[in-house]
Amino acid sequence: MSTVAVTEFIEASIGDVWRLLTDLAARPRWLSTADQSETLTTGPFGPGTRWRECRERPDGELLVEEFLVTDCDPPHRLVLSSAGIGVDYRITWTLRTVRRRRRACTAVTVEQEAEATAAYGRLVGFLLGGLAARAVESALRRDLADLAHALGPTDTPAAA
C-alpha cells in the first residue's frame, strides 16, 4: 500500500470548508479537473453516499471515477473509497481549526492510500512507484488549491 498526504491552510471556517467539500452538485464549479458530478444515491450526505465524477487526468484524457463515503464525522473527517483498475483507493479528508497569524483558519489534510488489487496494479506500483506518488501529490495539491481558491485567500500549502 502506498500513501500520499498533503495539507493546505485555508482562510475559511471549518463549517464553510466542510459545506463546500461535501456539496456534490458544486464540485464541478470549484474543482478545476471535474467536468461533471452525478449523485447516485438519495438522502443526506453521509456514509453510503455515492457519486460519479468525470475528471481530467494530467495527460488530458477524461477519467470517470465513482466515490463512496465510507466514514463521515462532520465537519472533521471524511473517508471515501474508489475502485480503480487494479488498484483500490481510500481518500481521507481531515479538517481542523488552527490559528495562524492570530487568525483562525482551517487546516485541511487529504491523504490518499492506494492498494493493489490485481497483478497489473502491483506491477505498475513497482515500476512507477515514485513517479506515481509525485503525480498523486500534485493532483492532491491542485484539488486543495482549488478548494482554497473557491473559499477565499490562502497561504502556500505545507506538506504533511
Side-chain angles (χ1 to χ4, degrees):
M1 178 180 304
S2 63
T3 302
V4 177
V6 178
T7 299
E8 171 87 27
F9 296 95
I10 299 177
E11 292 185 18
S13 73
I14 195 170
D16 288 345
V17 175
W18 182 263
R19 275 187 289 284
L20 186 58
L21 181 63
T22 59
D23 183 348
L24 301 180
R27 287 179 71 82
R29 289 193 298 274
W30 67 263
L31 191 56
S32 64
T33 57
D35 291 336
Q36 54 187 284
S37 178
E38 174 188 8
T39 305
L40 303 173
T41 54
T42 59
F45 186 93
T49 298
R50 187 179 292 271
W51 76 94
R52 185 179 302 129
E53 280 182 8
C54 185
R55 295 184 72 156
E56 186 177 324
R57 295 185 342 185
D59 63 6
E61 290 199 31
L62 291 180
L63 171 69
V64 176
E65 294 181 294
E66 191 169 305
F67 296 95
L68 169 68
V69 177
T70 58
D71 190 21
C72 185
D73 178 20
H76 302 287
R77 187 167 183 264
L78 172 63
V79 182
L80 311 173
S81 66
S82 179
I85 299 172
V87 180
D88 284 347
Y89 300 97
R90 177 179 145 139
I91 302 109
T92 302
W93 294 80
T94 306
L95 286 65
R96 60 189 170 83
T97 301
V98 297
R99 294 198 65 77
R100 295 190 76 210
R101 293 188 206 101
R102 298 187 198 137
R103 295 189 336 195
C105 67
T106 303
V108 181
T109 300
V110 61
E111 175 181 275
Q112 180 175 303
E113 298 171 87
E115 183 168 356
T117 57
Y120 169 78
R122 286 187 289 279
L123 178 62
V124 170
F126 176 74
L127 295 174
L128 302 175
L131 179 62
R134 285 189 296 280
V136 168
E137 180 181 347
S138 177
L140 296 178
R141 285 190 186 284
R142 183 179 52 244
D143 289 355
L144 283 171
D146 287 348
L147 181 63
H149 178 75
L151 289 161
T154 186
D155 289 326
T156 307

